[in-house]
Amino acid sequence: SLLQEKVSTMNLTIKAMVISHDGFDTDLFILVLLEVIICLTFLIGIILNTVLVILFFRRRGFRTLSNRFVLNLVISNLFSLLLLTPLSLLDQTASSVMEEASFCFMLTLVATMVSALILLSTLLLGLDQYLAIVEPLHYHRRINKKKVVFLCCGVWMVSVITSLMVV
């Protein structure tokens, strides 16, 4: 798949940059280094996105219409971190699992859904900001709580449908 090609290209690039020393296994070093970087990114992402979700629900002032679109993006990022990161680590480390068609299907499904979800959530956030800047006096007539919920749910549904159509 495209994800596997990119990971292998990245591995080849890193291998070319590392100078091999006598008796030092550069392949193992590179694999461990990549896994450590992915795990650190995973932990930092989970912590920061969780803090944002908690702040949204604990602080009443953060519950604006625009921040609901930000919350949708934060939840999309959490979804990405919780599903795609472990699957990517498995893809890199467990070569026997990687060859199975069901694992490849699952990885493609999740990667497509997460990519569409984050892209559409960002687009929705940008559209909201555009409307708030271009037509500030008519913003609250066009955007209300029901429309925000409908649009956010629509983004999730379109992402699921898109991922099912690709696979």
Side-chain angles (χ1 to χ4, degrees), residues 87-141:
L87 287 175
S88 297
L89 277 174
L90 267 178
D91 186 33
Q92 284 184 354
T93 57
S95 60
S96 61
V97 176
M98 186 176 75
E99 295 172 3
E100 292 185 21
S102 60
F103 181 76
C104 189
F105 173 79
M106 180 65 75
L107 184 61
T108 305
L109 179 83
V110 171
T112 304
M113 187 171 86
V114 163
S115 299
L117 184 60
I118 291 175
L119 179 72
L120 292 174
S121 295
T122 305
L123 177 69
L124 203 57
L125 183 61
L127 182 64
D128 174 66
Q129 294 300 306
Y130 174 79
L131 290 175
I133 292 170
V134 171
E135 298 181 2
L137 299 177
H138 303 288
Y139 176 78
H140 288 289
R141 258 190 274 155

Side-chain angles (χ1 to χ4, degrees), residues 1 6 14-15 24 28 30 32 43 50-51 54 59 66 68 71 75 90 92 107 121 141 149 155 164:
S1 75
K6 287 189 178 188
I14 291 174
K15 285 180 187 177
F24 186 70
L28 180 62
I30 291 169
V32 169
L43 289 174
T50 304
V51 166
I54 291 170
R59 304 269 181 171
S66 291
R68 291 174 195 266
L71 179 67
I75 292 172
L90 267 178
Q92 284 184 354
L107 184 61
S121 295
R141 258 190 274 155
V149 171
V155 161
L164 291 174

Side-chain angles (χ1 to χ4, degrees), residues 8-20 26-27 30:
S8 65
T9 304
M10 186 172 71
N11 284 340
L12 289 175
T13 305
I14 291 174
K15 285 180 187 177
M17 292 188 312
V18 175
I19 299 172
S20 177
T26 57
D27 291 341
I30 291 169

